[in-house]
Every structure is written in C-alpha cells, then in structure tokens.
C-alpha cells in the first residue's frame, strides 16, 4: 500500500514540479529576452570579418574626427525636366537640413545631363555608430526633403539604405512570429483532428522561443556573439519547426502507449523511453551541424551557428520536459474526440507509405535509378541561378532608398553615384590621391577628414555602383594603394561575396565530416551514414536547381544572395539527417528484434512514414513563412529550405532511402553486427543496445 501511495504521489507531483521549474526559468529569462532586439546589428560592416579591407576602413572612420559618417543622397527629379522653382526648392531644403544637422561639408548639387535630376550628396558624423541615431537623422532628412506637383524627392545613399533595411528587419519579429505560429497551428489542427491538442505543443514552442531569445541575448553579452535580423528570425523558425517535429514524434508514441498502459504518467515514461533516444540523437546532430558555422569568417554566418543551436536545444528541452508534463496533467481528454482508450486497437489502414514500400520492395534498383536521375535533372537548374545580389535588388518592395538608387541609375547611366572611401596614412595621403586620380575608372577624388595618423579620401567612380566596371576600379585601387584600405558600400559587397566563397569551401567539408562521424557512431555502420549524407547532398542540389528555375523567371529576382549556398546546405544537411535518424532508428530497432532486412525497412517506413511526413510538412511550412518577408535573401533561403525539406520528406527519405535499404539488405549495416547473418555473432560483442 505504501509503495502504491508513493507511486501515485510521484505521478501527481512530478508534472507540477516540471511546470513550476519552467515558470521560474521563463521569469528569469524574461528581462533578457526583451533586450535581444537592442543588440541586433544589420549593417553590412557588421556582417563582415574584421580582416576585410572594408571593415578596417570602417573601423578607422569611426576613430576620425566626428566618428563614422552617415552618407545620403538627396534626389530631385521631374520627368519633363526640373524648373527654376524646383531648383530653388531643393536649395532651400538642403539649407534647412544643413542648419539643423552637422554635415561634413557644404552640399553641392550635381545635375544630370538631361536636366531631369539633381542630386545632393550629404554626409554627417552626427549619429556615429548609433543605429537609432542614424535612423533618426535619415528620417529627419526625409521629413524636410519633400516634393509635390510633379516634383519627386527621394533620399538614398548607404545611410538611407541601412535605415530601410533596419526597419524591415526590426519589423520582422512580430509578423514572423505570428505567421509562423498561425501556420503551425493550422497544420497541427489538420494532423491531430482535435480542437484542444494542437494548443499544447504550440504553447510549448512559444515558451521555448521566448527562452531562446533570453539565452541568445546572454550569449551576445558574454561572448560577443553576432545577432542579426536574419539569425534571430531563423532561430524562431527553428524553434517552432524542429520543436513541433519533436512534439509530433512524442505525441504519436504517447498515443500508442496510452492504448497499452492505463495511467498517462506511465504511458508518457514509456513514450519517452521509446522515442527519446531518437529525438536526442537527431537534435544533437542538428546542433553539431549548425555549430560548424563557427568556422565561417563571415560574422553573420558565424553568429547564426550558436543562435540556431540555441533554438534547437531550447525546443528540445521544452518538448522533452514541459510538453510531457502538460500532457500528463491534461490526461487522455486532451485527445478528444479521438481519445485513445486503454486496451483498444487502432483501425488498420493501407497508407500511402505502405504502397510506397510495396513498390520499393518490388523494384528497389529501378526506384533508386529513377530518383537519382530526377534529382540530377533538377540540380541542373542551379546553372540558371542569377548572379550575386546587388544592394538595390535586395528588397521585394521598393523603399525610398532603392527608388533613389534607381532614379540615379537612369539619370546618371555612365557615372558613379555612390562614393568609395579610401583610408590612407596621412603622410602618404597626397601620393595616394595622385595615384587614385590616375587610376582608370576614377571620375574624381577629394581629401576628407584626417586624424590619428589617417586621412579619408572620397572617390567617385565613372561607372554605376556595383557594376563590373566599378568592381574593377575598386580592385585596381586595392592593388595600387599599398598600406591603404578601400571601403564603402560597393567594397563591402565585394568583400561579402569573397568571404562567402571562402566560407563555403571551408565549412561544407567540415559539416559533411562531422555529420558522417556522428551518424557512424549512432548507427554503428559505415554504409547507412553514407547513404543518408549522399541523400541530403542530392536534395540540396535539387532544391537549389528548383530555385534557379523560379527566382529569375517567375519571381523576377535580379540576383542570388551570396550566402544562400552555404546556409541552405548547412540547414538541409542538418535537418535532413534529422529525419534520417528517425527512420533508421526504427529500422534498426526492427532488425534487432529479429525482423528480416526487407521486412525491417518496410515496417520502419510504415510506422514512421506518417510522423515523418507530418513533421516535414510542418518544418517546410515554417521555413516557407520566410518567403512572405520583404527581403530577397530571406525569400530565397526560405524557398530553398522548404522545397528541400519536402523533397527529402516525400521522395528521398521515405522512398529512395528505403529502396536502398531493401536493395542492400544486411549490407546497409556494414560492418556492424547487424550486417552478419543470424548465428554469426561478432567476436567481442554479445548484444547491442536497442536505442540509437
């Protein structure tokens, strides 16, 4: 009686204790979570490594008198040609701006040859590196610079572009969270067919997301981890995506155990013992893959590794502790109207995955060859991906700064409108100025501020911003000016592309090797990990290929984000292997229980196919939310990952991997014990553990 009473008391107390601990943890994390937006940095120079030429130039500019300059261009345009009144209006507005703010020089208007456009380059050191002060300055200038009656006035330049980008990124938090939650809620309602059950994993995911924000802020304060709008947004996507995946796996196993076990507490313990090892192994693999981004030189990519890992681990902690506690407290009634009764047997149905398994069993090699040809053909579409994304093409909408850049490009088609900053040692500034003016492609060069042994030289190219000709001019300046640093928006874009290319060549092999090693240890095989890794690489290539067929022809994008290849590779490999572990874990479990290899593969597909499909749909939908955001790089990343997850879920993971397992039979587990026929035990082992 005493033992029974003690057991009942524990069953009542443990869930309440877990719930209380989570309330305390969230209360502690709350002040830090609210501050994450304050440390978010989205300037191009914040993304670049400290060793980049443009980064060094920007750091020296910060130390010059007045600090870092915010550069803008006021653009006055009338289609039929500017009138004398228009020019007078422009002069008055510029004078008002100069009187209200500290400008680095006296603004002078530059007219276009056709007389339709007048531009006034402006620069101010008033905000320094304070992004809020920069945004306030740009908005003040926009309040003054206004047109009307056919006169169009736009404020562009790197400062205005940074303000528009900052506003977009800071506006993502709310819409991104609400849209993601709404998508997950809709899918959970369809999957669970219950008016109540979907609320539980959704609420737990929201709490995990809040905790991840607090942890991410702590990492920034303790270790200086870079936080950008992109990385914080993807962290939220990961929390809801992988968190819901783990919830689907746990709830499915819990429902199964409730039919066998009378008490919900005991059924949950059995469910955690059954699926816990697979969830832990898959989350560990995802985290390890994301942490490989720490090897990247680009700050934005390197910062995304820890933030993504934080999101995955917070989701894991919540789904293996808080979710079980809430489900136990709510009891069987949370599944209403499809309540799993103790001792009942679910209706046997012929599922899609049973049919897929049948075709894989009959013609495994045909399925493999056909799938490989299809993925290879899709991957060829990557050849159609547009070139590197320019700043003016990075928005899906047309903010004021982009409109100004487009107006300038039309009015000054053969002229640079965006200054190039050259930081030269003061004692060599005159010689540098002479060399700059003699460089092919330079239209003008003037001496700027001096201080601390450095002098700023402002250069205008004769070619439009971020054109091939301007790039050649910047590279020529870097080759010619020994000891000087060339910066500015265009130089930053060049460094961004070069750094991304180096990071991709370094990080991709590290990710492949680390994931392969982890899978080898988990699955006790060399063949199965090679199959899984080859599958996710094929999915990545096919997803990029589909992107190449969609981005330019259908969506009208003018460029591809330089970081798309690396980030999509890391996420698709890490998340794809995640599902592979679910499938292979069940296949291994069936084999250890004595099932013949083909039966083990088909049984694993039949029992896990539905859960993997549901999880894949949820994960793809959460990343697809990024396609509704107004930044091209987010749309491209969300599209490629969502398409890749769907390919992995419904073609590669459930069809091709199963076909490979059927074709290879026991050889899929080579050289482990399962690769040998029954009755031939390994010399040094008697029995392998059931879990991964």
């Amino acid at each position: 009686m005493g033992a029974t009473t003690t057991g009942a008391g524990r069953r009542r107390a443990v869930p309440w204790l877990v719930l209380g601990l989570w309330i305390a943890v969230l209360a502690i994390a709350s002040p830090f979570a609210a501050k994450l937006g304050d440390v978010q940095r989205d300037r191009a120079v914040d993304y670049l490594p400290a060793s980049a030429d443009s980064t060094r130039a920007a750091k020296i500019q910060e130390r010059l008198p007045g600090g870092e300059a915010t550069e803008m261009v006021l653009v006055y345009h009338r289609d039929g040609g500017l009138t004398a009144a228009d020019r007078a209006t422009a002069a008055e507005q510029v004078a008002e701006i100069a009187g209200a703010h500290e400008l680095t020089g006296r603004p002078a208007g530059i007219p276009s040859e056709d007389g339709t456009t007048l531009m006034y380059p402006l620069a101010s050191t008033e905000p320094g590196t304070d992004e809020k002060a920069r945004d306030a300055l740009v908005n003040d200038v926009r309040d003054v610079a206004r047109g009307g009656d056919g006169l169009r006035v736009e404020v562009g330049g790197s400062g205005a572009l940074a303000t528009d980008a900052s506003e977009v990124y800071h506006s993502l938090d709310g819409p991104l969270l609400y849209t993601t939650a709404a998508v997950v809620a809709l899918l959970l309602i369809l999957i669970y067919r219950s008016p109540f059950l979907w609320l539980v994993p959704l609420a737990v995911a929201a709490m995990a997301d809040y905790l991840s924000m607090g942890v991410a802020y702590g990492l920034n304060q303790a270790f200086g981890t870079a936080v950008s709008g992109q990385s914080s947004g993807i962290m939220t996507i990961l929390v809801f995506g992988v968190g819901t995946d783990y919830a689907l796996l746990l709830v499915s196993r819990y429902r199964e155990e409730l039919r066998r076990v009378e008490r919900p507490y005991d059924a949950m313990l059995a469910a955690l013992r059954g699926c816990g090892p697979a969830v832990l192994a898959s989350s560990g693999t995802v985290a390890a893959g994301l942490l490989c981004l720490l090897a990247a030189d680009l700050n934005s990519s390197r910062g995304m590794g820890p933030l993504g890992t934080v999101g995955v681990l917070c989701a894991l902690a919540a789904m293996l502790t808080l979710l079980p506690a809430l489900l136990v407290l709510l009891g069987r009634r949370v599944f209403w109207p499809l309540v799993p009764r103790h001792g009942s047997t679910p209706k046997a149905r012929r599922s899609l995955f049973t049919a897929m398994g049948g075709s894989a069993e009959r013609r495994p090699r045909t399925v493999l060859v056909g799938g490989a040809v299809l993925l290879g053909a899709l991957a060829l579409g990557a050849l159609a991906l547009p070139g590197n994304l320019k700043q003016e093409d990075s928005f899906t909408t047309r903010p004021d700064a982009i409109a100004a850049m487009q107006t300038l490009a039309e009015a000054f088609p053969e002229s640079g409108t965006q200054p190039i900053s050259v930081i030269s040692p003061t004692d060599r500034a005159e010689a540098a100025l002479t060399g700059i003016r003699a460089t092919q492609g330079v239209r003008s060069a003037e001496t700027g501020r001096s201080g601390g042994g450095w002098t700023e030289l402002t250069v205008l190219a004769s070619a439009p911003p971020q054109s091939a000709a301007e790039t050649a001019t910047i590279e020529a300046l870097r080759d010619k000016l020994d000891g000087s640093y060339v910066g500015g928006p265009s130089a930053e874009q060049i460094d961004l592309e070069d750094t991304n290319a180096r990071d991709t060549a370094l990080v991709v092999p590290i990710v492949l090797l680390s994931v392969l090693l982890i899978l080898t240890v988990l699955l006790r095989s060399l063949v199965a990990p090679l199959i899984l890794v080859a599958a996710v690489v094929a999915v990545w290539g096919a997803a990029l290929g589909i992107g190449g067929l969609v981005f330019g022809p259908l969506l009208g994008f003018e460029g591809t984000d330089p970081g798309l290849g690396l980030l999509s590779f890391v996420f698709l490999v890490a998340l794809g292997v995640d599902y592979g572990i679910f499938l292979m874990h069940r296949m291994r479990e069936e084999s250890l229980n004595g099932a013949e290899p083909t039966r083990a593969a088909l049984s694993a597909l039949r029992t896990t196919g539905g859960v993997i499909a549901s999880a894949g749909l949820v994960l793809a939908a959460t990343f697809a939310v990024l396609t509704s955001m107004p930044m091209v790089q987010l749309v491209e990343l969300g599209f490629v990952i969502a398409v890749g997850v769907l390919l992995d879920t419904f073609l590669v993971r459930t069809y091709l991997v199963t076909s490979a397992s059927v074709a290879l039979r026991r050889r899929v587990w080579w050289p482990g014990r399962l690769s040998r026929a029954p009755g031939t035990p390994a010399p040094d082992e008697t029995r392998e553990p059931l879990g991964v």
Side-chain angles (χ1 to χ4, degrees):
M1 178 67 74
T4 303
T5 304
T6 303
R10 182 173 63 252
R11 285 192 290 268
R12 288 192 297 268
V14 170
W16 286 109
L17 178 61
V18 171
L19 182 59
L21 287 174
W22 266 93
I23 292 173
V25 168
L26 291 174
I28 295 171
S30 181
F32 305 106
K35 296 179 180 179
L36 184 61
D38 297 337
V39 298
Q40 183 176 306
R41 298 289 180 267
D42 291 299
R43 299 181 305 167
V45 72
D46 293 321
Y47 281 44
L48 290 168
S51 59
D53 223 43
S54 54
T55 307
R56 292 178 176 179
K59 295 301 181 184
I60 295 173
Q61 283 178 309
E62 293 175 6
R63 301 196 299 269
L64 292 176
E68 181 181 333
T70 297
E71 296 175 344
M72 295 168 284
V73 180
L74 270 63
V75 182
Y76 293 85
H77 176 84
R78 186 183 289 274
D79 289 336
L82 293 170
T83 65
D86 294 337
R87 294 187 179 87
T89 298
E92 290 173 5
Q93 292 179 353
V94 170
E96 183 179 348
I97 292 169
H101 299 283
E102 298 176 8
L103 304 182
T104 57
R106 188 172 183 177
I110 303 174
S112 63
E113 290 185 4
D114 61 6
T116 62
T117 308
L118 180 66
M119 72 170 178
Y120 278 88
L122 305 178
S124 173
T125 57
E126 204 174 83
T129 59
D130 188 333
E131 291 189 20
K132 291 183 178 179
R134 177 205 64 203
D135 296 345
L137 170 65
V138 172
N139 290 327
D140 285 346
V141 170
R142 284 174 170 165
D143 288 339
V144 174
R146 295 184 177 276
D149 296 328
L151 176 65
R152 194 169 76 235
V153 183
E154 298 153 346
V155 180
S158 59
L161 186 66
T163 293
D164 289 340
S166 176
E167 289 179 357
V168 168
Y169 276 119
H170 282 92
S171 68
L172 292 183
D173 295 342
L176 185 65
L177 176 61
Y178 303 145
T179 308
T180 303
V183 168
V184 171
L186 177 61
L187 289 174
L188 287 178
I189 291 172
L190 294 175
I191 292 168
Y192 287 141
R193 291 172 290 169
S194 168
F196 307 114
L197 181 57
W198 64 273
L199 280 168
V200 184
L202 186 64
V204 172
M207 295 179 190
D209 181 52
Y210 199 65
L211 175 62
S212 69
M213 293 169 63
V215 176
Y217 177 80
L219 285 179
N220 173 268
Q221 296 301 296
F223 304 105
T225 303
V227 179
S228 66
Q230 187 182 53
S231 61
S232 62
I234 288 179
M235 182 179 70
T236 293
I237 292 288
L238 281 172
V239 170
F240 278 89
V242 302
T244 306
D245 284 0
Y246 299 154
L248 287 168
L249 195 66
L250 177 65
V251 172
S252 174
R253 192 62 176 256
Y254 178 51
R255 187 197 294 266
E256 183 181 329
E257 296 297 337
L258 282 173
R259 300 182 188 278
R260 297 192 311 104
V261 182
E262 182 178 359
R263 294 187 176 90
Y265 180 88
D266 298 329
M268 181 57 72
L269 287 180
L272 287 171
R273 284 193 295 267
C275 69
V279 171
L280 287 170
S282 62
S283 61
T285 307
V286 174
L290 292 175
L291 285 177
C292 291
L293 284 170
L294 287 171
D297 203 18
L298 201 66
N299 286 336
S300 55
S301 298
R302 190 168 64 246
M304 192 172 293
L307 260 66
T309 301
V310 164
V312 170
L313 295 183
C314 286
L316 173 71
M319 296 306 168
L320 290 188
T321 58
L322 181 57
L323 177 63
L326 291 176
L327 289 175
V328 169
L329 290 173
L330 292 170
R332 295 175 184 268
R333 59 184 176 274
V334 74
F335 288 94
W336 186 88
L338 304 175
V339 179
R341 305 294 180 187
H342 178 230
S344 63
T345 303
K347 293 181 180 179
R349 297 177 180 176
R350 180 173 174 80
S351 67
L352 168 67
F353 302 101
T354 302
M356 293 173 71
S359 62
E361 180 183 12
R362 290 189 300 272
R363 296 180 296 275
R365 291 177 176 81
T366 302
V367 171
L368 279 175
V369 172
V373 170
L374 175 61
L375 292 175
L378 290 174
L380 292 175
L383 300 174
L385 283 169
N388 285 322
L389 190 68
K390 297 180 180 179
Q391 286 179 320
E392 64 263 29
D393 300 324
S394 58
F395 295 85
T396 59
T397 56
R398 196 169 180 260
D400 197 45
I402 298 300
M405 295 175 72
Q406 293 173 348
T407 301
L408 290 174
E410 295 171 1
F412 301 87
E414 301 299 329
S415 176
T417 57
Q418 189 166 260
I420 302 167
S421 299
V422 176
I423 305 298
S424 173
T426 301
D427 58 355
R428 285 186 273 173
E430 287 301 322
L433 191 63
T434 302
I436 291 170
R437 287 171 175 166
T439 302
Q440 184 178 358
V442 172
R443 191 181 75 180
S444 65
E446 304 295 336
T447 302
R449 300 170 292 165
S450 294
W454 296 94
T455 297
E456 180 182 28
L457 307 174
T458 302
V459 182
L460 276 178
S462 56
Q466 296 184 29
S467 62
E470 190 205 38
T471 299
T473 300
I474 292 173
E475 291 174 346
L477 289 173
R478 286 177 168 173
D479 291 338
K480 178 180 289 188
L481 302 175
D482 187 33
S484 299
Y485 302 112
V486 180
S490 296
E492 291 169 358
Q493 193 69 16
I494 294 171
D495 291 338
L496 190 68
E497 295 167 7
D498 291 344
T499 307
N500 262 309
R502 291 197 303 270
D503 285 349
T504 301
L506 174 65
V507 175
V508 165
I510 295 176
V511 172
L512 287 176
L513 182 60
S514 62
V515 169
L516 196 59
L517 288 175
I518 292 171
L519 288 176
T520 300
V521 173
L522 292 176
L523 299 177
R524 299 170 179 84
S525 165
L526 290 178
V527 176
L530 286 172
I531 292 173
L532 293 180
V533 170
V536 293
V537 172
V539 164
W540 171 66
L544 277 181
I546 294 174
L549 300 175
V550 170
F551 292 158
L554 297 183
L555 300 181
F557 293 163
E558 298 293 334
T560 304
D561 178 42
L564 176 65
L566 174 60
L567 294 180
S568 61
F569 179 85
V570 171
F571 282 109
L572 283 177
V573 168
L575 297 172
V577 167
D578 191 32
Y579 293 144
I581 290 175
F582 292 162
L583 180 65
M584 285 293 189
H585 172 258
R586 193 60 179 252
M587 194 183 302
R588 182 179 175 79
E589 185 177 338
E590 297 287 342
S591 298
L592 287 171
N593 286 333
E596 182 268 335
T598 299
R599 292 301 99 197
L602 299 181
S603 177
L605 176 61
R606 185 180 64 254
T607 54
T608 66
V611 176
I612 291 178
S614 300
L617 279 173
V618 170
L619 190 63
T622 53
F623 272 99
V625 169
L626 291 174
T627 62
S628 66
M629 300 296 108
M631 299 293 290
V632 170
Q633 52 263 51
L634 293 180
V635 174
E636 291 178 341
L637 183 63
F639 179 88
V640 169
I641 295 178
V643 168
V645 169
L646 291 176
L647 281 174
D648 187 78
T649 301
F650 293 101
L651 174 63
V652 175
R653 189 67 47 221
T654 51
Y655 213 20
L656 300 187
V657 171
T658 302
S659 297
S661 301
V662 171
L664 291 172
R665 299 178 63 80
R666 294 188 182 278
R667 292 188 296 274
V668 76
W669 302 113
W670 185 87
R673 180 171 180 260
L674 288 175
S675 64
R676 290 178 287 275
T680 56
D684 298 324
E685 59 182 346
T686 56
R687 184 176 182 273
E688 292 196 34
L690 188 63
V692 169

